[in-house]
Amino acid sequence: MLNIILTAAITLIGGIILFIFQHIIIEIFIKPIQKQKEVIENIAISLIHFSNLYTSPVQYGSLPSDNPIRKKYMDAANKVRELAALLKVKSENILLYDKWNIIKYVLPKQNVEQAFEGLIHLANSFGSEGRGVENSDIADRIRTLLEIPKQS
């Protein structure tokens, strides 16, 4: 009888320890990677959503502050800049990044850094007339770096 209770107690304690260990692994390793992937998904959405703006930039700095065109371009540029910052921060929060990269579970750090720089450059170019083709090329480069399929 004592053997049965002892076996059940050990099984229960082992299950609890395994459950706790599993949640620690998920919180420390898996969730940060999922958050990075969510940011990349949002970047993909924004590159499509704002493509009409970054491929046809206007010099909005000289427009009145209450002008709706100025607001539209500034909001888009700020959103792209925010996504760049999130990409950098979420990527830096991934523990053992290089190990995950070896098994191709995360993007190479160099790709993330270059995509960050490209997003900042793109955000800064929303107000520069005549840079539509260059901005489109930058967006394509970001898609390649982050392994985002090209829009058709």
Side-chain angles (χ1 to χ4, degrees):
M1 180 69 174
L2 184 61
N3 239 0
I4 295 172
I5 294 173
L6 188 59
T7 302
I10 291 172
T11 303
L12 181 64
I13 291 170
I16 292 170
I17 291 171
L18 187 61
F19 177 78
I20 292 169
F21 183 70
Q22 174 187 359
H23 280 278
I24 290 171
I25 295 296
I26 289 170
E27 290 296 321
I28 292 176
F29 295 107
I30 306 302
K31 279 194 177 178
I33 293 170
Q34 288 174 336
K35 288 179 181 179
Q36 181 199 45
K37 291 180 188 293
E38 288 172 8
V39 171
I40 292 170
E41 181 180 300
N42 288 329
I43 290 169
I45 292 167
S46 291
L47 288 175
I48 293 169
H49 183 74
F50 298 132
S51 63
N52 64 322
L53 300 178
Y54 65 73
T55 57
S56 302
V58 297
Q59 193 72 32
Y60 59 78
S62 60
L63 297 173
S65 60
D66 61 344
N67 186 299
I69 293 173
R70 178 184 175 128
K71 180 173 176 17
K72 185 176 185 178
Y73 276 84
M74 287 184 70
D75 288 349
N78 288 334
K79 178 64 177 178
V80 170
R81 193 172 285 106
E82 177 186 351
L83 288 169
L86 282 170
L87 176 65
K88 189 169 187 80
V89 169
K90 297 299 181 188
S91 298
E92 289 172 354
N93 285 341
I94 297 173
L95 294 177
L96 304 174
Y97 196 100
D98 294 331
K99 306 298 184 221
W100 291 111
N101 185 41
I102 289 171
I103 60 172
K104 305 292 183 207
Y105 199 65
V106 295
L107 298 167
K109 276 186 179 179
Q110 180 181 357
N111 285 25
V112 172
E113 186 60 34
Q114 288 178 9
F116 166 79
E117 292 169 3
L119 287 164
I120 294 297
H121 186 84
L122 192 62
N124 291 339
S125 298
F126 273 74
S128 302
E129 285 185 57
R131 298 187 65 177
V133 174
E134 179 185 345
N135 289 347
S136 183
D137 291 343
I138 292 169
D140 286 343
R141 176 86 173 120
I142 292 166
R143 282 186 194 92
T144 301
L145 290 166
L146 298 180
E147 298 177 3
I148 298 170
K150 280 194 172 198
Q151 65 190 41
S152 45

